[in-house]
Amino acid sequence: ASIGVTFGWNDYCNYYITEISPGSPAAKAKNVFSDGSYGSQQLKVGDEIYSINGQVVQHLNSSSFSQLLSVAGDTLDLRVLRHAADGSVSAMYQFKIGKEMFHAPVAYYLDSETTGLPSDVGYIKLNEFGDTAPEDFYNSVQEFLADEDKPNKLVLDLRGNGGGDTMMCGYIASFFVKQNGTSDGIPMAKYVYNSGGGDMAETYFYTQTSYVSDLDGKTYGSVNLYDEVDDFECVILVNGSSASSSELLTATLSHYCGIKSVGSKTYGKGVAQIVLTYNNQKYEMN
């Protein structure tokens, strides 16, 4: 049960909304007036949390803030401060948000009106290569293609994505990497390993234009964004928590598509590693 909001904070323990999950109670909430009627304002990324159920949280330590959220009951009364471009407070809004169970997609699309980016830029957040990633990413791409502003640029956000299924990684890569007129996948990486008896073996990871879900048995196909969108451009956001399959996807799109990554150094989890065996196979070092 959740409201679908991720919070962040600064060194002064001021708390801000850093992510709102599509389809969540927070995404659907409207501001409440003193007479109990509802307005048209919605929560936005960047809103500062002023109080929770009447308790002011500015400068409250993070553990107390988390505890306050967890014991708040089935409904949160949030008062938020919205800041102007110069940093000054422009308004305070009140939102009453009920906690409920909902599907938090691991990939979702946000348009320019939501992100504040230019109208020709769309945004897809991919949180993990989990069970619903193929369907969620496919739906996100379809929303990007259907955006009425017709954006031709895409921000693919892999910050905080710790990786997951390599097959899913190959499927998502196919939305960008062209198949060059063949039905075969394009190689993404070679994995070298000890097959036993002192012999080394290798296998390859490839892009794949379809994926069969383990959850429902459905087959999801891909489209190539460079074919679908004129003058398509993309950039990838990464940070120190982007790991494993996220790094493989980033490297693949850089190699084949020239897509640049922006951010900080990634985690470095098991990427391009070779297993070295010492002391008559008794010890292995990665």
Side-chain angles (χ1 to χ4, degrees), residues 134-135 210-221:
E135 179 179 6
S210 64
Y211 185 87
V212 180
S213 172
D214 292 333
L215 292 178
D216 53 20
K218 291 183 179 179
T219 299
Y220 296 95

Side-chain angles (χ1 to χ4, degrees), residues 5-274:
V5 171
T6 301
F7 299 102
W9 56 88
N10 59 21
D11 291 341
Y12 303 99
C13 288
N14 294 322
Y15 297 89
Y16 301 88
I17 295 176
T18 57
E19 186 174 341
I20 301 174
S21 183
S24 68
K28 296 179 287 186
K30 305 291 185 180
N31 67 301
V32 182
F33 295 116
S34 57
D35 62 0
S37 61
Y38 291 90
S40 60
Q41 292 294 331
Q42 292 181 283
L43 284 168
K44 294 183 178 181
V45 170
D47 283 347
E48 180 183 354
I49 309 304
Y50 176 76
S51 67
I52 298 176
N53 289 358
Q55 180 171 335
V56 176
V57 300
Q58 287 181 311
H59 314 305
L60 191 69
N61 66 65
S62 59
S63 60
S64 297
F65 178 82
S66 299
Q67 185 178 17
L68 187 60
L69 283 174
S70 64
V71 300
D74 295 331
T75 302
L76 285 182
D77 184 337
L78 288 184
R79 292 179 187 267
V80 303
L81 301 176
R82 188 156 296 168
H83 297 270
D86 62 2
S88 62
V89 175
S90 61
M92 175 186 281
Y93 297 108
Q94 179 183 9
F95 297 87
K96 291 186 178 180
I97 310 171
K99 294 180 180 179
E100 65 182 49
M101 298 296 294
F102 69 96
H103 168 60
V106 300
Y108 56 83
Y109 176 72
L110 299 178
D111 59 22
S112 60
E113 183 178 354
T114 304
T115 61
L117 295 168
S119 60
D120 62 345
V121 181
Y123 169 96
I124 292 179
K125 173 69 172 176
L126 178 59
N127 285 318
E128 63 179 56
F129 295 84
D131 290 338
T132 65
E135 179 179 6
D136 291 340
F137 193 82
Y138 176 85
N139 291 336
S140 299
V141 169
Q142 294 305 311
E143 290 184 51
F144 170 69
L145 295 175
D147 191 325
E148 60 183 13
D149 287 330
K150 303 297 182 183
N152 69 318
K153 300 178 178 66
L154 177 67
V155 174
L156 176 59
D157 193 346
L158 299 181
R159 292 175 298 179
N161 186 325
D165 191 326
T166 308
M167 299 288 284
M168 292 181 188
C169 179
Y171 169 68
I172 291 172
S174 70
F175 284 84
F176 303 88
V177 179
K178 294 186 177 183
Q179 296 297 107
N180 296 327
T182 71
S183 59
D184 298 328
I186 305 300
M188 298 170 61
K190 180 174 72 173
Y191 175 52
V192 182
Y193 60 97
N194 187 346
S195 62
D199 297 325
M200 301 300 290
E202 60 185 43
T203 188
Y204 286 83
F205 297 129
Y206 295 89
T207 62
Q208 54 185 70
T209 56
S210 64
Y211 185 87
V212 180
S213 172
D214 292 333
L215 292 178
D216 53 20
K218 291 183 179 179
T219 299
Y220 296 95
S222 68
V223 296
N224 188 273
L225 287 166
Y226 286 93
D227 291 336
E228 297 292 325
V229 180
D230 292 337
D231 301 319
F232 176 72
E233 297 178 33
C234 183
V235 66
I236 300 174
L237 303 183
V238 295
N239 64 8
S241 297
S242 304
S244 194
S245 290
S246 291
E247 295 170 298
L248 178 57
L249 179 61
T250 301
T252 298
L253 301 192
S254 172
H255 178 72
Y256 287 112
C257 307
I259 295 176
K260 295 182 178 180
S261 57
V262 177
S264 54
K265 185 177 180 180
T266 59
Y267 186 81
K269 178 185 176 184
V271 175
Q273 73 178 14
I274 297 177

